[in-house]
């Protein structure tokens, strides 16, 4: 079934550095979403990028989508300790009105 | 997180117990979801409800029994669980059940089965 796979599984950086996470998926999609989860909490939606968009920004977040490579990246600029969390990409499971499927996530640690 | 609330936040139960998890959304959404999150595994979609009707059951064992009395409330009734059912159970809602929707998650219930 359709599923995003994030890479790397874990990432550790210093505060102020940029963090880049990648997501690959298997079949055609009409949108891709990124979510963040703080430890033991619910997921929080960050950004949605549609298949006809190549790049989208929201504050310190920049998301790109390359449908030819079936991949997306999430860049967090000037990271802060508060950005420490797991980040998930999510894609529709299939064509039509199907639910989202989430990957295993990238665990980001930002060290102060 | 006030948009979707879950109770209890933590639950410890024996394998012979019966308990229920409750989820309430205050967002006026029509779709609600139950997910299971275990360590080092992808988020597993368990059930989807659209306008109170179950539209998805992903081969979930019958010891998990969902109930959706209205579009704002979702329950997960638990009975004779196994230790491997210990996980974080997340509830979410969205405007409809589609893949273009943003999902709004509750804080989760951390379930431990002894």
């Amino acid at each position: 079934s359709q599923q995003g796979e994030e890479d790397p599984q874990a990432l550790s950086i210093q505060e102020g550095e940029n963090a880049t996470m990648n997501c690959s998926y298997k079949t055609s999609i009409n949108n891709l979403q990124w979510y963040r989860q703080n430890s033991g909490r619910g997921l929080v939606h960050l950004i949605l990028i549609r298949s006809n968009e190549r790049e989208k920004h929201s504050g310190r977040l920049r998301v790109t989508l390359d449908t030819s490579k079936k991949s997306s990246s999430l860049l967090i600029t000037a990271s802060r300790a508060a950005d420490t969390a797991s980040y998930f990409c999510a894609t529709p499971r299939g064509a039509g009105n199907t639910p989202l499927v989430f990957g295993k996530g990238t665990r980001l640690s930002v060290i102060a | 997180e006030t948009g979707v609330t879950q109770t209890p936040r933590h639950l410890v139960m024996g394998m012979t117990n019966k308990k229920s998890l409750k989820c309430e959304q205050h967002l006026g959404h029509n779709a609600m979801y139950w997910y299971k999150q275990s360590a080092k595994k992808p988020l597993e979609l368990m059930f989807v409800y659209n306008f109170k009707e179950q539209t998805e059951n992903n081969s979930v064992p019958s010891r998990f029994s969902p109930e959706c009395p209205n579009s704002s409330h979702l329950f997960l009734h638990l009975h004779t669980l196994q230790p491997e059912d210990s996980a974080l159970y997340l509830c979410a809602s969205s405007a409809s059940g589609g893949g273009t929707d943003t999902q709004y998650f509750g804080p989760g219930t951390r379930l431990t089965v002894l």
Side-chain angles (χ1 to χ4, degrees), chain A residues 3 31 33 35 37 40-43 45 48 92-93 97-100 102 104, chain B residues 1 9 35 37 42-43 45 56 90 98-103 105-107:
Chain A
Q3 184 175 26
N31 80 97
Q33 303 183 35
Y35 288 77
Q37 182 182 33
R41 309 286 287 184
L43 281 70
H45 180 259
L48 180 153
R93 187 176 59 204
N97 202 30
T98 55
L100 293 175
F102 291 80
K104 292 184 182 180
Chain B
E1 289 182 352
R9 294 294 307 277
Y35 288 90
Q37 187 176 37
L43 204 59
L45 179 63
E56 189 130 346
L90 293 165
T100 55
D101 283 355
T102 294
Q103 291 192 14
F105 285 79

PDB file of all heavy atoms in Angstrom, chain A residues 3 31 33 35 37 40-43 45 48 92-93 97-100 102 104, chain B residues 1 9 35 37 42-43 45 56 90 98-103 105-107:
ATOM      1  N   GLN A   3       2.832   4.315   1.010  1.00  0.00           N
ATOM      2  CA  GLN A   3       3.381   4.713   2.308  1.00  0.00           C
ATOM      3  C   GLN A   3       4.624   5.549   2.097  1.00  0.00           C
ATOM      4  O   GLN A   3       5.483   5.214   1.284  1.00  0.00           O
ATOM      5  CB  GLN A   3       3.723   3.470   3.133  1.00  0.00           C
ATOM      6  CG  GLN A   3       4.214   3.780   4.533  1.00  0.00           C
ATOM      7  CD  GLN A   3       4.431   2.533   5.355  1.00  0.00           C
ATOM      8  OE1 GLN A   3       4.684   1.474   4.816  1.00  0.00           O
ATOM      9  NE2 GLN A   3       4.341   2.652   6.661  1.00  0.00           N
ATOM     10  N   ASN A  31      -1.358  15.025  -3.030  1.00  0.00           N
ATOM     11  CA  ASN A  31      -0.802  15.928  -2.032  1.00  0.00           C
ATOM     12  C   ASN A  31       0.096  15.133  -1.086  1.00  0.00           C
ATOM     13  O   ASN A  31      -0.007  13.893  -1.004  1.00  0.00           O
ATOM     14  CB  ASN A  31      -1.896  16.646  -1.248  1.00  0.00           C
ATOM     15  CG  ASN A  31      -2.494  15.795  -0.137  1.00  0.00           C
ATOM     16  OD1 ASN A  31      -2.103  15.910   1.032  1.00  0.00           O
ATOM     17  ND2 ASN A  31      -3.425  14.918  -0.502  1.00  0.00           N
ATOM     18  N   GLN A  33       1.703  15.596   3.014  1.00  0.00           N
ATOM     19  CA  GLN A  33       1.631  16.416   4.219  1.00  0.00           C
ATOM     20  C   GLN A  33       2.774  16.056   5.163  1.00  0.00           C
ATOM     21  O   GLN A  33       3.222  14.916   5.203  1.00  0.00           O
ATOM     22  CB  GLN A  33       0.286  16.192   4.924  1.00  0.00           C
ATOM     23  CG  GLN A  33      -0.918  16.491   4.033  1.00  0.00           C
ATOM     24  CD  GLN A  33      -2.232  16.329   4.748  1.00  0.00           C
ATOM     25  OE1 GLN A  33      -2.342  16.622   5.943  1.00  0.00           O
ATOM     26  NE2 GLN A  33      -3.252  15.884   4.019  1.00  0.00           N
ATOM     27  N   TYR A  35       3.878  16.284   9.297  1.00  0.00           N
ATOM     28  CA  TYR A  35       3.382  16.431  10.657  1.00  0.00           C
ATOM     29  C   TYR A  35       4.559  16.342  11.625  1.00  0.00           C
ATOM     30  O   TYR A  35       5.578  15.715  11.336  1.00  0.00           O
ATOM     31  CB  TYR A  35       2.381  15.318  11.007  1.00  0.00           C
ATOM     32  CG  TYR A  35       1.040  15.423  10.324  1.00  0.00           C
ATOM     33  CD1 TYR A  35       0.893  15.063   8.987  1.00  0.00           C
ATOM     34  CD2 TYR A  35      -0.074  15.883  11.020  1.00  0.00           C
ATOM     35  CE1 TYR A  35      -0.353  15.161   8.361  1.00  0.00           C
ATOM     36  CE2 TYR A  35      -1.321  15.979  10.406  1.00  0.00           C
ATOM     37  CZ  TYR A  35      -1.443  15.611   9.074  1.00  0.00           C
ATOM     38  OH  TYR A  35      -2.669  15.702   8.460  1.00  0.00           O
ATOM     39  N   GLN A  37       5.508  15.460  15.817  1.00  0.00           N
ATOM     40  CA  GLN A  37       5.031  14.858  17.056  1.00  0.00           C
ATOM     41  C   GLN A  37       6.069  15.032  18.137  1.00  0.00           C
ATOM     42  O   GLN A  37       7.180  14.519  18.024  1.00  0.00           O
ATOM     43  CB  GLN A  37       4.724  13.371  16.870  1.00  0.00           C
ATOM     44  CG  GLN A  37       4.169  12.714  18.126  1.00  0.00           C
ATOM     45  CD  GLN A  37       3.912  11.227  17.953  1.00  0.00           C
ATOM     46  OE1 GLN A  37       4.626  10.548  17.225  1.00  0.00           O
ATOM     47  NE2 GLN A  37       2.882  10.719  18.601  1.00  0.00           N
ATOM     48  N   GLY A  40       5.479  11.395  22.930  1.00  0.00           N
ATOM     49  CA  GLY A  40       4.303  10.924  23.647  1.00  0.00           C
ATOM     50  C   GLY A  40       3.054  11.764  23.462  1.00  0.00           C
ATOM     51  O   GLY A  40       2.095  11.611  24.222  1.00  0.00           O
ATOM     52  N   ARG A  41       3.051  12.630  22.466  1.00  0.00           N
ATOM     53  CA  ARG A  41       1.902  13.499  22.234  1.00  0.00           C
ATOM     54  C   ARG A  41       1.279  13.204  20.871  1.00  0.00           C
ATOM     55  O   ARG A  41       1.744  12.349  20.135  1.00  0.00           O
ATOM     56  CB  ARG A  41       2.340  14.964  22.286  1.00  0.00           C
ATOM     57  CG  ARG A  41       3.135  15.343  23.495  1.00  0.00           C
ATOM     58  CD  ARG A  41       2.283  15.431  24.714  1.00  0.00           C
ATOM     59  NE  ARG A  41       1.435  16.624  24.695  1.00  0.00           N
ATOM     60  CZ  ARG A  41       0.640  16.964  25.690  1.00  0.00           C
ATOM     61  NH1 ARG A  41       0.562  16.223  26.770  1.00  0.00           N
ATOM     62  NH2 ARG A  41      -0.106  18.050  25.608  1.00  0.00           N
ATOM     63  N   GLY A  42       0.213  13.921  20.560  1.00  0.00           N
ATOM     64  CA  GLY A  42      -0.418  13.775  19.253  1.00  0.00           C
ATOM     65  C   GLY A  42       0.375  14.466  18.161  1.00  0.00           C
ATOM     66  O   GLY A  42       1.270  15.256  18.422  1.00  0.00           O
ATOM     67  N   LEU A  43       0.045  14.129  16.924  1.00  0.00           N
ATOM     68  CA  LEU A  43       0.712  14.757  15.795  1.00  0.00           C
ATOM     69  C   LEU A  43       0.093  16.118  15.511  1.00  0.00           C
ATOM     70  O   LEU A  43      -1.111  16.322  15.705  1.00  0.00           O
ATOM     71  CB  LEU A  43       0.589  13.880  14.545  1.00  0.00           C
ATOM     72  CG  LEU A  43       1.531  12.686  14.439  1.00  0.00           C
ATOM     73  CD1 LEU A  43       1.189  11.592  15.431  1.00  0.00           C
ATOM     74  CD2 LEU A  43       1.525  12.136  13.019  1.00  0.00           C
ATOM     75  N   HIS A  45      -0.192  19.033  12.460  1.00  0.00           N
ATOM     76  CA  HIS A  45       0.007  19.290  11.032  1.00  0.00           C
ATOM     77  C   HIS A  45       0.913  20.497  10.833  1.00  0.00           C
ATOM     78  O   HIS A  45       0.757  21.535  11.491  1.00  0.00           O
ATOM     79  CB  HIS A  45      -1.350  19.564  10.373  1.00  0.00           C
ATOM     80  CG  HIS A  45      -1.263  19.844   8.916  1.00  0.00           C
ATOM     81  ND1 HIS A  45      -1.326  21.111   8.398  1.00  0.00           N
ATOM     82  CD2 HIS A  45      -1.088  19.014   7.860  1.00  0.00           C
ATOM     83  CE1 HIS A  45      -1.219  21.050   7.088  1.00  0.00           C
ATOM     84  NE2 HIS A  45      -1.081  19.785   6.735  1.00  0.00           N
ATOM     85  N   LEU A  48       0.977  21.255   3.987  1.00  0.00           N
ATOM     86  CA  LEU A  48       0.467  20.402   2.917  1.00  0.00           C
ATOM     87  C   LEU A  48       0.974  20.975   1.601  1.00  0.00           C
ATOM     88  O   LEU A  48       0.868  22.185   1.370  1.00  0.00           O
ATOM     89  CB  LEU A  48      -1.056  20.370   2.946  1.00  0.00           C
ATOM     90  CG  LEU A  48      -1.797  19.528   1.890  1.00  0.00           C
ATOM     91  CD1 LEU A  48      -3.153  19.082   2.443  1.00  0.00           C
ATOM     92  CD2 LEU A  48      -1.985  20.263   0.576  1.00  0.00           C
ATOM     93  N   PRO A  92      -1.907  10.229   0.713  1.00  0.00           N
ATOM     94  CA  PRO A  92      -3.132   9.440   0.555  1.00  0.00           C
ATOM     95  C   PRO A  92      -2.769   8.013   0.175  1.00  0.00           C
ATOM     96  O   PRO A  92      -1.832   7.762  -0.579  1.00  0.00           O
ATOM     97  CB  PRO A  92      -3.859  10.149  -0.599  1.00  0.00           C
ATOM     98  CG  PRO A  92      -3.298  11.524  -0.606  1.00  0.00           C
ATOM     99  CD  PRO A  92      -1.878  11.392  -0.179  1.00  0.00           C
ATOM    100  N   ARG A  93      -3.520   7.076   0.719  1.00  0.00           N
ATOM    101  CA  ARG A  93      -3.211   5.668   0.507  1.00  0.00           C
ATOM    102  C   ARG A  93      -3.347   5.260  -0.956  1.00  0.00           C
ATOM    103  O   ARG A  93      -2.602   4.411  -1.448  1.00  0.00           O
ATOM    104  CB  ARG A  93      -4.120   4.790   1.364  1.00  0.00           C
ATOM    105  CG  ARG A  93      -3.761   3.315   1.334  1.00  0.00           C
ATOM    106  CD  ARG A  93      -4.631   2.552   2.271  1.00  0.00           C
ATOM    107  NE  ARG A  93      -6.031   2.723   1.916  1.00  0.00           N
ATOM    108  CZ  ARG A  93      -7.032   2.562   2.784  1.00  0.00           C
ATOM    109  NH1 ARG A  93      -6.778   2.253   4.030  1.00  0.00           N
ATOM    110  NH2 ARG A  93      -8.271   2.717   2.403  1.00  0.00           N
ATOM    111  N   ASN A  97     -10.933   9.131  -2.598  1.00  0.00           N
ATOM    112  CA  ASN A  97     -11.030   9.717  -1.264  1.00  0.00           C
ATOM    113  C   ASN A  97     -10.527   8.752  -0.199  1.00  0.00           C
ATOM    114  O   ASN A  97     -11.285   8.249   0.619  1.00  0.00           O
ATOM    115  CB  ASN A  97     -12.500  10.086  -0.995  1.00  0.00           C
ATOM    116  CG  ASN A  97     -12.630  11.150   0.070  1.00  0.00           C
ATOM    117  OD1 ASN A  97     -11.755  11.989   0.230  1.00  0.00           O
ATOM    118  ND2 ASN A  97     -13.721  11.100   0.807  1.00  0.00           N
ATOM    119  N   THR A  98      -9.234   8.469  -0.214  1.00  0.00           N
ATOM    120  CA  THR A  98      -8.675   7.479   0.706  1.00  0.00           C
ATOM    121  C   THR A  98      -7.934   8.177   1.840  1.00  0.00           C
ATOM    122  O   THR A  98      -7.427   9.280   1.673  1.00  0.00           O
ATOM    123  CB  THR A  98      -7.705   6.550  -0.029  1.00  0.00           C
ATOM    124  OG1 THR A  98      -6.705   7.331  -0.687  1.00  0.00           O
ATOM    125  CG2 THR A  98      -8.443   5.705  -1.057  1.00  0.00           C
ATOM    126  N   PRO A  99      -7.861   7.519   2.994  1.00  0.00           N
ATOM    127  CA  PRO A  99      -7.200   8.149   4.139  1.00  0.00           C
ATOM    128  C   PRO A  99      -5.693   8.292   3.928  1.00  0.00           C
ATOM    129  O   PRO A  99      -5.105   7.710   3.029  1.00  0.00           O
ATOM    130  CB  PRO A  99      -7.471   7.179   5.288  1.00  0.00           C
ATOM    131  CG  PRO A  99      -8.517   6.256   4.824  1.00  0.00           C
ATOM    132  CD  PRO A  99      -8.416   6.216   3.334  1.00  0.00           C
ATOM    133  N   LEU A 100      -5.087   9.062   4.814  1.00  0.00           N
ATOM    134  CA  LEU A 100      -3.647   9.241   4.800  1.00  0.00           C
ATOM    135  C   LEU A 100      -2.943   8.019   5.361  1.00  0.00           C
ATOM    136  O   LEU A 100      -3.464   7.312   6.217  1.00  0.00           O
ATOM    137  CB  LEU A 100      -3.256  10.448   5.651  1.00  0.00           C
ATOM    138  CG  LEU A 100      -3.690  11.820   5.152  1.00  0.00           C
ATOM    139  CD1 LEU A 100      -3.334  12.885   6.189  1.00  0.00           C
ATOM    140  CD2 LEU A 100      -3.051  12.143   3.820  1.00  0.00           C
ATOM    141  N   PHE A 102       0.896   7.197   7.063  1.00  0.00           N
ATOM    142  CA  PHE A 102       2.055   7.873   7.638  1.00  0.00           C
ATOM    143  C   PHE A 102       3.282   6.964   7.580  1.00  0.00           C
ATOM    144  O   PHE A 102       3.167   5.739   7.688  1.00  0.00           O
ATOM    145  CB  PHE A 102       1.782   8.237   9.106  1.00  0.00           C
ATOM    146  CG  PHE A 102       0.752   9.310   9.282  1.00  0.00           C
ATOM    147  CD1 PHE A 102      -0.604   9.014   9.206  1.00  0.00           C
ATOM    148  CD2 PHE A 102       1.131  10.618   9.540  1.00  0.00           C
ATOM    149  CE1 PHE A 102      -1.566   9.997   9.370  1.00  0.00           C
ATOM    150  CE2 PHE A 102       0.183  11.614   9.712  1.00  0.00           C
ATOM    151  CZ  PHE A 102      -1.172  11.307   9.624  1.00  0.00           C
ATOM    152  N   LYS A 104       7.313   6.080   9.120  1.00  0.00           N
ATOM    153  CA  LYS A 104       7.825   5.792  10.465  1.00  0.00           C
ATOM    154  C   LYS A 104       8.397   7.032  11.132  1.00  0.00           C
ATOM    155  O   LYS A 104       8.612   7.045  12.339  1.00  0.00           O
ATOM    156  CB  LYS A 104       8.911   4.720  10.394  1.00  0.00           C
ATOM    157  CG  LYS A 104       8.415   3.350  10.006  1.00  0.00           C
ATOM    158  CD  LYS A 104       9.532   2.329  10.058  1.00  0.00           C
ATOM    159  CE  LYS A 104       9.047   0.954   9.624  1.00  0.00           C
ATOM    160  NZ  LYS A 104      10.123  -0.046   9.663  1.00  0.00           N
TER     161      LYS A 104
ATOM    162  N   GLU B   1      -4.168  21.573  20.985  1.00  0.00           N
ATOM    163  CA  GLU B   1      -4.691  20.251  21.317  1.00  0.00           C
ATOM    164  C   GLU B   1      -6.104  20.325  21.866  1.00  0.00           C
ATOM    165  O   GLU B   1      -6.742  19.317  22.073  1.00  0.00           O
ATOM    166  CB  GLU B   1      -3.780  19.560  22.322  1.00  0.00           C
ATOM    167  CG  GLU B   1      -2.453  19.130  21.714  1.00  0.00           C
ATOM    168  CD  GLU B   1      -1.582  18.395  22.720  1.00  0.00           C
ATOM    169  OE1 GLU B   1      -1.939  18.362  23.904  1.00  0.00           O
ATOM    170  OE2 GLU B   1      -0.545  17.880  22.315  1.00  0.00           O
ATOM    171  N   ARG B   9      -5.644   9.922  29.711  1.00  0.00           N
ATOM    172  CA  ARG B   9      -4.344  10.119  29.090  1.00  0.00           C
ATOM    173  C   ARG B   9      -3.446   8.913  29.310  1.00  0.00           C
ATOM    174  O   ARG B   9      -2.592   8.600  28.479  1.00  0.00           O
ATOM    175  CB  ARG B   9      -3.675  11.365  29.651  1.00  0.00           C
ATOM    176  CG  ARG B   9      -4.411  12.663  29.296  1.00  0.00           C
ATOM    177  CD  ARG B   9      -4.360  12.941  27.786  1.00  0.00           C
ATOM    178  NE  ARG B   9      -3.016  12.909  27.278  1.00  0.00           N
ATOM    179  CZ  ARG B   9      -2.178  13.927  27.348  1.00  0.00           C
ATOM    180  NH1 ARG B   9      -2.570  15.073  27.881  1.00  0.00           N
ATOM    181  NH2 ARG B   9      -0.948  13.818  26.862  1.00  0.00           N
ATOM    182  N   TYR B  35      -5.927   5.556  15.682  1.00  0.00           N
ATOM    183  CA  TYR B  35      -4.625   5.061  15.271  1.00  0.00           C
ATOM    184  C   TYR B  35      -3.966   4.374  16.466  1.00  0.00           C
ATOM    185  O   TYR B  35      -4.167   4.761  17.604  1.00  0.00           O
ATOM    186  CB  TYR B  35      -3.695   6.203  14.857  1.00  0.00           C
ATOM    187  CG  TYR B  35      -4.019   6.879  13.553  1.00  0.00           C
ATOM    188  CD1 TYR B  35      -4.865   7.973  13.517  1.00  0.00           C
ATOM    189  CD2 TYR B  35      -3.439   6.441  12.364  1.00  0.00           C
ATOM    190  CE1 TYR B  35      -5.137   8.612  12.319  1.00  0.00           C
ATOM    191  CE2 TYR B  35      -3.695   7.084  11.162  1.00  0.00           C
ATOM    192  CZ  TYR B  35      -4.548   8.169  11.156  1.00  0.00           C
ATOM    193  OH  TYR B  35      -4.812   8.807   9.959  1.00  0.00           O
ATOM    194  N   GLN B  37      -0.061   3.596  17.813  1.00  0.00           N
ATOM    195  CA  GLN B  37       1.353   3.911  17.592  1.00  0.00           C
ATOM    196  C   GLN B  37       2.205   3.105  18.555  1.00  0.00           C
ATOM    197  O   GLN B  37       2.179   3.326  19.754  1.00  0.00           O
ATOM    198  CB  GLN B  37       1.619   5.405  17.774  1.00  0.00           C
ATOM    199  CG  GLN B  37       3.038   5.800  17.378  1.00  0.00           C
ATOM    200  CD  GLN B  37       3.269   7.286  17.453  1.00  0.00           C
ATOM    201  OE1 GLN B  37       2.765   7.961  18.333  1.00  0.00           O
ATOM    202  NE2 GLN B  37       4.047   7.821  16.504  1.00  0.00           N
ATOM    203  N   PRO B  42       5.379   2.210  11.988  1.00  0.00           N
ATOM    204  CA  PRO B  42       4.583   3.315  11.446  1.00  0.00           C
ATOM    205  C   PRO B  42       3.256   3.447  12.195  1.00  0.00           C
ATOM    206  O   PRO B  42       2.768   2.474  12.781  1.00  0.00           O
ATOM    207  CB  PRO B  42       4.339   2.902   9.992  1.00  0.00           C
ATOM    208  CG  PRO B  42       5.299   1.815   9.710  1.00  0.00           C
ATOM    209  CD  PRO B  42       5.598   1.155  10.989  1.00  0.00           C
ATOM    210  N   LEU B  43       2.705   4.606  12.126  1.00  0.00           N
ATOM    211  CA  LEU B  43       1.381   4.835  12.687  1.00  0.00           C
ATOM    212  C   LEU B  43       0.392   3.904  11.979  1.00  0.00           C
ATOM    213  O   LEU B  43       0.313   3.891  10.758  1.00  0.00           O
ATOM    214  CB  LEU B  43       1.008   6.295  12.452  1.00  0.00           C
ATOM    215  CG  LEU B  43       0.005   6.973  13.351  1.00  0.00           C
ATOM    216  CD1 LEU B  43       0.468   6.939  14.792  1.00  0.00           C
ATOM    217  CD2 LEU B  43      -0.198   8.404  12.894  1.00  0.00           C
ATOM    218  N   LEU B  45      -3.342   2.874  11.092  1.00  0.00           N
ATOM    219  CA  LEU B  45      -4.744   3.278  11.063  1.00  0.00           C
ATOM    220  C   LEU B  45      -5.601   2.089  11.446  1.00  0.00           C
ATOM    221  O   LEU B  45      -5.485   1.009  10.861  1.00  0.00           O
ATOM    222  CB  LEU B  45      -5.115   3.777   9.665  1.00  0.00           C
ATOM    223  CG  LEU B  45      -6.552   4.219   9.452  1.00  0.00           C
ATOM    224  CD1 LEU B  45      -6.899   5.420  10.328  1.00  0.00           C
ATOM    225  CD2 LEU B  45      -6.788   4.548   7.979  1.00  0.00           C
ATOM    226  N   GLU B  56     -13.920   2.264   7.515  1.00  0.00           N
ATOM    227  CA  GLU B  56     -12.675   1.515   7.430  1.00  0.00           C
ATOM    228  C   GLU B  56     -12.421   0.757   8.722  1.00  0.00           C
ATOM    229  O   GLU B  56     -12.603   1.278   9.808  1.00  0.00           O
ATOM    230  CB  GLU B  56     -11.509   2.468   7.171  1.00  0.00           C
ATOM    231  CG  GLU B  56     -10.207   1.791   6.854  1.00  0.00           C
ATOM    232  CD  GLU B  56      -9.553   2.330   5.614  1.00  0.00           C
ATOM    233  OE1 GLU B  56     -10.213   3.044   4.832  1.00  0.00           O
ATOM    234  OE2 GLU B  56      -8.378   2.050   5.416  1.00  0.00           O
ATOM    235  N   LEU B  90      -4.073   7.031  19.394  1.00  0.00           N
ATOM    236  CA  LEU B  90      -4.334   8.399  18.979  1.00  0.00           C
ATOM    237  C   LEU B  90      -5.667   8.485  18.254  1.00  0.00           C
ATOM    238  O   LEU B  90      -5.993   7.653  17.408  1.00  0.00           O
ATOM    239  CB  LEU B  90      -3.226   8.887  18.047  1.00  0.00           C
ATOM    240  CG  LEU B  90      -1.848   9.063  18.679  1.00  0.00           C
ATOM    241  CD1 LEU B  90      -0.775   9.180  17.610  1.00  0.00           C
ATOM    242  CD2 LEU B  90      -1.826  10.285  19.576  1.00  0.00           C
ATOM    243  N   GLY B  98     -11.091  12.122   3.551  1.00  0.00           N
ATOM    244  CA  GLY B  98     -10.229  12.042   2.384  1.00  0.00           C
ATOM    245  C   GLY B  98      -8.780  12.348   2.645  1.00  0.00           C
ATOM    246  O   GLY B  98      -8.413  12.916   3.673  1.00  0.00           O
ATOM    247  N   GLY B  99      -7.945  11.989   1.697  1.00  0.00           N
ATOM    248  CA  GLY B  99      -6.511  12.158   1.839  1.00  0.00           C
ATOM    249  C   GLY B  99      -6.022  13.556   1.578  1.00  0.00           C
ATOM    250  O   GLY B  99      -4.832  13.826   1.720  1.00  0.00           O
ATOM    251  N   THR B 100      -6.902  14.477   1.200  1.00  0.00           N
ATOM    252  CA  THR B 100      -6.462  15.862   1.044  1.00  0.00           C
ATOM    253  C   THR B 100      -6.752  16.672   2.297  1.00  0.00           C
ATOM    254  O   THR B 100      -6.414  17.839   2.378  1.00  0.00           O
ATOM    255  CB  THR B 100      -7.162  16.538  -0.146  1.00  0.00           C
ATOM    256  OG1 THR B 100      -8.579  16.409   0.033  1.00  0.00           O
ATOM    257  CG2 THR B 100      -6.754  15.903  -1.451  1.00  0.00           C
ATOM    258  N   ASP B 101      -7.386  16.040   3.268  1.00  0.00           N
ATOM    259  CA  ASP B 101      -7.718  16.747   4.496  1.00  0.00           C
ATOM    260  C   ASP B 101      -6.522  16.834   5.427  1.00  0.00           C
ATOM    261  O   ASP B 101      -5.695  15.929   5.480  1.00  0.00           O
ATOM    262  CB  ASP B 101      -8.815  15.999   5.251  1.00  0.00           C
ATOM    263  CG  ASP B 101     -10.174  16.214   4.646  1.00  0.00           C
ATOM    264  OD1 ASP B 101     -10.287  17.014   3.710  1.00  0.00           O
ATOM    265  OD2 ASP B 101     -11.119  15.570   5.123  1.00  0.00           O
ATOM    266  N   THR B 102      -6.489  17.887   6.205  1.00  0.00           N
ATOM    267  CA  THR B 102      -5.574  17.962   7.337  1.00  0.00           C
ATOM    268  C   THR B 102      -6.214  17.219   8.491  1.00  0.00           C
ATOM    269  O   THR B 102      -7.408  17.386   8.761  1.00  0.00           O
ATOM    270  CB  THR B 102      -5.342  19.427   7.736  1.00  0.00           C
ATOM    271  OG1 THR B 102      -4.659  20.084   6.675  1.00  0.00           O
ATOM    272  CG2 THR B 102      -4.516  19.524   9.005  1.00  0.00           C
ATOM    273  N   GLN B 103      -5.422  16.387   9.151  1.00  0.00           N
ATOM    274  CA  GLN B 103      -5.952  15.683  10.317  1.00  0.00           C
ATOM    275  C   GLN B 103      -5.499  16.395  11.585  1.00  0.00           C
ATOM    276  O   GLN B 103      -4.368  16.856  11.692  1.00  0.00           O
ATOM    277  CB  GLN B 103      -5.477  14.233  10.310  1.00  0.00           C
ATOM    278  CG  GLN B 103      -6.120  13.424   9.188  1.00  0.00           C
ATOM    279  CD  GLN B 103      -5.893  11.942   9.323  1.00  0.00           C
ATOM    280  OE1 GLN B 103      -5.485  11.448  10.374  1.00  0.00           O
ATOM    281  NE2 GLN B 103      -6.165  11.198   8.258  1.00  0.00           N
ATOM    282  N   PHE B 105      -5.053  15.853  15.590  1.00  0.00           N
ATOM    283  CA  PHE B 105      -4.880  14.750  16.528  1.00  0.00           C
ATOM    284  C   PHE B 105      -5.114  15.177  17.964  1.00  0.00           C
ATOM    285  O   PHE B 105      -4.824  16.317  18.352  1.00  0.00           O
ATOM    286  CB  PHE B 105      -3.458  14.189  16.429  1.00  0.00           C
ATOM    287  CG  PHE B 105      -3.225  13.345  15.210  1.00  0.00           C
ATOM    288  CD1 PHE B 105      -2.992  13.926  13.970  1.00  0.00           C
ATOM    289  CD2 PHE B 105      -3.249  11.960  15.300  1.00  0.00           C
ATOM    290  CE1 PHE B 105      -2.783  13.148  12.842  1.00  0.00           C
ATOM    291  CE2 PHE B 105      -3.030  11.166  14.179  1.00  0.00           C
ATOM    292  CZ  PHE B 105      -2.806  11.767  12.952  1.00  0.00           C
ATOM    293  N   GLY B 106      -5.612  14.235  18.750  1.00  0.00           N
ATOM    294  CA  GLY B 106      -5.640  14.403  20.186  1.00  0.00           C
ATOM    295  C   GLY B 106      -4.287  14.062  20.777  1.00  0.00           C
ATOM    296  O   GLY B 106      -3.383  13.618  20.066  1.00  0.00           O
ATOM    297  N   PRO B 107      -4.131  14.235  22.097  1.00  0.00           N
ATOM    298  CA  PRO B 107      -2.845  13.991  22.755  1.00  0.00           C
ATOM    299  C   PRO B 107      -2.529  12.514  22.952  1.00  0.00           C
ATOM    300  O   PRO B 107      -1.399  12.162  23.264  1.00  0.00           O
ATOM    301  CB  PRO B 107      -2.995  14.692  24.101  1.00  0.00           C
ATOM    302  CG  PRO B 107      -4.463  14.676  24.353  1.00  0.00           C
ATOM    303  CD  PRO B 107      -5.121  14.790  23.023  1.00  0.00           C
TER     304      PRO B 107
END
